[in-house]
Amino acid sequence: MKGRIELSVVLQASNITKEFPGVKALNNVSFELHKGQIHALCGENGAGKSTLINVLSGVFPRGTYDGKIMMDGEEVYFETVRDASSYGIAVIHQELSLFNELTVKENMFINNELKGRLFLDEDKMHIECLEWLKRIRMEDVHPETQIKKLGVGNQQLIEIARVLRQSNVRVLILDEPTAALTETETKILLEILRELRDSGMAIAYISHKLTEVMQLADYVTVLRDGESVGGKAIADITEPELVAMMVGRQISEMFPPRHESHGDVLLEVKNYSVNEHFTNKPVVTDASFDLKEGEILGVFGLIGAGRTELMSSIFGSPRFKRDGKVMLDGQELIINTPKDSIDAGIFYCTEDRKSQGIIPKMNIRENITISRLKDFKRGLFVDQDQEIITSEKKVKELRVKTPDLETKIMNLSGGNQQKVLLARSLVGNTRILILDEPTRGIDIGAKQEIYSIINELAQQGISIIMVSSELPEILGLSNRVLVMHRGRITGEFDDCEKVTQEQILAKAAGLN
């Protein structure tokens, strides 16, 4: 029941203060988890959520922070993650810790195998694995299936089952567990978490998806700038009030006023089909669409619809073979590599910001200019002065929050990393910008800023294709929407102010 809080406190953090060189990540923060409770921890990127988790789970050993941690009313000391685990504290991070080459069964029992007299008891592990697969609604998956052959959503559920196999788990902490899940997978996960809550487990739940928080949590605590700004039972707070607590201000309009003015057709894609390069598996079939100057074209579809494959293929990804025509200004484009697209003024921002977008150990200046280094070459060398001038201009235009251009991009929040990638895409004569999941894993305040930037770019005449799994985002920003299902374009909607989410979802499901 929402708002229910059990009297039994399982885990309590009192007056936690944690400092890094020049930064106070947590300042006198207190947090507690009750038995049989789902407690959401919310805040913008950089608010201190991850730091608090690392304190609670033993990543930061005692002596590296001030304050105390208590279990069942008694003070405890964690020197390692193993120490926290011995007390029944388990953390499921956004980055999964599964081994792709191993099977489902091997991953589920790794470092915790069942042994017979002389060898591993493979039969017993197989039977128990089947029981866990049934519990997480994955009865159709065989225990000997390699993890790499499963989707991200199923991998997430396997990770949870692996953790829960440890019989002593009393506190489960989840960090953005649904960031890459489909709506169906998310529904399954939330059902499982409610069952665990009802069985008495204490659950800390971190998510930027506030609608999800409002549906799932019993209680919410908000961190802002390393400090706690309070907590409330979910029954006693609305989503706008929660947003205001997180960002320190009211956000009355999430999306900017729609930019309706656009010009002639700039890009045409005709009878375009895509096959995977090595397997020859078809992923897009006979797609045709156009894009106008200064238009925001939203592209929606469920997982497996072929949206990313279509857009990354147009950009020149070597993963795919393509057939059909791409026309720019009425002239056919021959695109064999991403360089061909960039030279034509087309830039693609990947959905996988961390592994395919940013270059973590490079600084902001280097990340911004990396795709256009030829423009900064002077003889055999790179003109760093010109790099600095260009990067400073883009950082200012896109309102990137950073101490300086020499800061490593991995030290920025997700929202600011995304702004740097946008800055990279705008170096040079970019005419078409393809944004794949531009606000994935970004907090609500940063989302609003990204939306404003996208709208401003369209007003400047840049044509934008925006792939997104979030329907409010699609309807709030787009001038026109394409819907895909199983590699085909199944719908197109011109009036985004009148079309409903149900209409779009019907096309995305392949219904007439």
Side-chain angles (χ1 to χ4, degrees):
M1 180 185 300
K2 286 196 171 187
R4 177 189 65 185
I5 300 177
E6 300 288 343
L7 294 177
S8 176
V9 177
V10 179
L11 175 65
Q12 186 174 22
S14 300
N15 308 116
I16 303 295
T17 297
K18 170 66 179 175
E19 294 189 38
F20 297 102
V23 178
K24 185 173 282 190
L26 293 174
N27 184 23
N28 202 37
V29 170
S30 295
F31 179 78
E32 63 183 33
L33 278 171
H34 296 252
K35 181 179 180 181
Q37 178 196 57
I38 297 177
H39 189 149
L41 184 61
C42 293
E44 296 188 272
N45 288 331
K49 306 185 299 297
S50 295
T51 303
L52 180 58
I53 286 175
N54 288 336
V55 169
L56 294 175
S57 61
V59 173
F60 298 140
R62 75 170 171 171
T64 64
Y65 61 88
D66 294 326
K68 62 182 180 180
I69 300 173
M70 303 180 75
M71 292 282 293
D72 301 315
E74 295 185 6
E75 189 169 1
V76 292
Y77 305 95
F78 302 148
E79 298 292 347
T80 64
V81 172
R82 187 179 293 272
D83 290 342
S85 178
S86 70
Y87 278 89
I89 299 173
V91 181
I92 296 175
H93 295 282
Q94 191 171 352
E95 290 79 19
L96 302 180
S97 59
L98 301 175
F99 294 87
N100 282 332
E101 300 301 322
L102 299 184
T103 67
V104 169
K105 182 182 72 178
E106 289 168 335
N107 271 280
M108 198 170 290
F109 287 88
I110 197 161
N111 293 328
N112 198 12
E113 295 87 352
L114 302 180
K115 296 180 181 179
R117 287 186 176 182
L118 297 176
F119 305 102
L120 298 181
D121 194 332
E122 297 287 352
D123 290 340
K124 192 172 182 180
M125 287 193 292
H126 184 92
I127 292 170
E128 188 174 332
C129 185
L130 286 173
E131 292 172 351
W132 276 103
L133 288 170
K134 183 177 181 180
R135 187 173 178 182
I136 59 176
R137 285 67 158 176
M138 289 175 58
E139 298 96 328
D140 57 337
V141 173
H142 195 278
E144 300 302 328
T145 302
Q146 278 185 302
I147 282 291
K148 67 182 182 182
K149 294 181 179 179
L150 300 179
V152 174
N154 282 339
Q155 290 181 16
Q156 180 80 67
L157 295 174
I158 295 293
E159 176 96 330
I160 291 172
R162 183 184 66 82
V163 168
L164 293 178
R165 267 204 70 254
Q166 306 168 32
S167 59
N168 69 328
V169 174
R170 301 175 61 209
V171 173
L172 182 62
I173 302 173
L174 302 103
D175 187 3
E176 296 288 351
T178 65
L181 302 194
T182 65
E183 188 174 342
T184 299
E185 291 163 344
T186 296
K187 184 178 179 181
I188 292 172
L189 175 60
L190 299 192
E191 287 175 356
I192 292 170
L193 293 180
R194 290 186 185 102
E195 290 173 4
L196 293 172
R197 184 266 315 276
D198 293 342
S199 71
M201 188 171 290
I203 300 173
Y205 191 85
I206 296 173
S207 178
H208 289 312
K209 298 181 179 180
L210 299 189
T211 300
E212 196 175 278
V213 168
M214 299 297 293
Q215 292 174 350
L216 178 68
D218 303 302
Y219 196 86
V220 60
T221 291
V222 176
L223 298 183
R224 187 170 73 234
D225 298 328
E227 298 184 353
S228 174
V229 294
K232 287 189 175 183
I234 287 292
D236 298 330
I237 191 171
T238 65
E239 188 171 329
E241 290 170 341
L242 179 54
V243 170
M245 288 179 69
M246 289 172 58
V247 302
R249 64 187 188 278
Q250 295 289 337
I251 296 185
S252 55
E253 293 293 337
M254 177 58 67
F255 300 102
R258 196 185 307 272
H259 169 63
E260 297 291 358
S261 176
H262 40 75
D264 297 330
V265 170
L266 176 63
L267 180 78
E268 295 175 272
V269 176
K270 297 182 177 181
N271 308 117
Y272 196 83
S273 297
V274 181
N275 289 49
E276 289 183 350
H277 189 79
F278 294 107
T279 65
N280 208 36
K281 175 185 175 182
V283 288
V284 177
T285 304
D286 198 29
S288 297
F289 68 92
D290 60 46
L291 176 70
K292 300 179 177 66
E293 292 179 348
E295 180 183 32
I296 301 175
L297 177 66
V299 181
F300 181 80
L302 305 177
I303 298 297
R307 304 165 306 165
T308 293
E309 290 83 355
L310 173 59
M311 296 308 162
S312 57
S313 168
I314 290 172
F315 185 61
S317 169
R319 290 180 51 211
F320 305 107
K321 294 185 290 185
R322 53 194 71 83
D323 182 52
K325 289 186 177 182
V326 177
M327 314 282 289
L328 184 68
D329 294 322
Q331 301 294 316
E332 184 174 1
L333 278 179
I334 304 301
I335 298 176
N336 294 314
T337 67
K339 181 180 180 300
D340 295 334
S341 286
I342 293 172
D343 288 344
I346 302 172
F347 204 99
Y348 173 75
C349 283
T350 175
E351 64 175 337
D352 192 348
R353 181 174 64 247
K354 289 188 176 180
S355 65
Q356 297 178 20
I358 67 171
I359 305 173
K361 294 187 178 181
M362 281 190 176
N363 61 39
I364 292 168
R365 169 180 54 82
E366 293 165 330
N367 267 278
I368 289 176
T369 60
I370 188 70
S371 295
R372 289 278 191 176
L373 276 182
K374 66 179 181 63
D375 296 343
F376 299 94
K377 287 188 70 175
R378 298 295 180 266
L380 297 176
F381 303 98
V382 173
D383 186 342
Q384 286 197 2
D385 289 339
Q386 191 58 45
E387 271 192 304
I388 291 170
I389 291 171
T390 300
S391 298
E392 282 182 340
K393 180 181 178 183
K394 296 302 178 187
V395 163
K396 184 177 180 181
E397 287 175 353
L398 299 184
R399 304 181 284 280
V400 180
K401 295 175 184 175
T402 176
D404 53 55
L405 292 178
E406 303 308 306
T407 298
K408 285 185 170 56
I409 193 171
M410 65 183 183
N411 294 329
L412 300 185
S413 69
N416 284 300
Q417 289 177 1
Q418 188 69 17
K419 290 180 187 179
V420 171
L421 293 183
L422 284 172
R424 179 194 296 172
S425 72
L426 298 172
V427 175
N429 184 32
T430 299
R431 303 178 66 195
I432 297 171
L433 186 55
I434 304 173
L435 303 175
D436 199 344
E437 302 288 1
T439 65
R440 173 173 288 171
I442 292 176
D443 63 63
I444 193 135
K447 274 190 175 187
Q448 189 185 38
E449 291 184 349
I450 296 292
Y451 295 153
S452 294
I453 290 169
I454 291 172
N455 200 56
E456 289 167 9
L457 294 175
Q459 289 178 357
Q460 294 167 18
I462 294 176
S463 302
I464 294 172
I465 300 175
M466 183 181 69
V467 176
S468 177
S469 299
E470 297 189 28
L471 270 176
E473 190 167 271
I474 287 284
L475 293 176
L477 282 179
S478 304
N479 301 116
R480 190 160 50 97
V481 177
L482 297 180
V483 185
M484 295 188 67
H485 171 72
R486 293 186 177 180
R488 293 181 180 273
I489 294 175
T490 54
E492 179 176 342
F493 298 92
D494 293 323
D495 193 341
C496 292
E497 291 188 352
K498 292 183 179 180
V499 66
T500 65
Q501 293 191 24
E502 289 75 17
Q503 288 174 306
I504 291 180
L505 283 170
K507 293 294 184 182
L511 304 176
N512 293 326

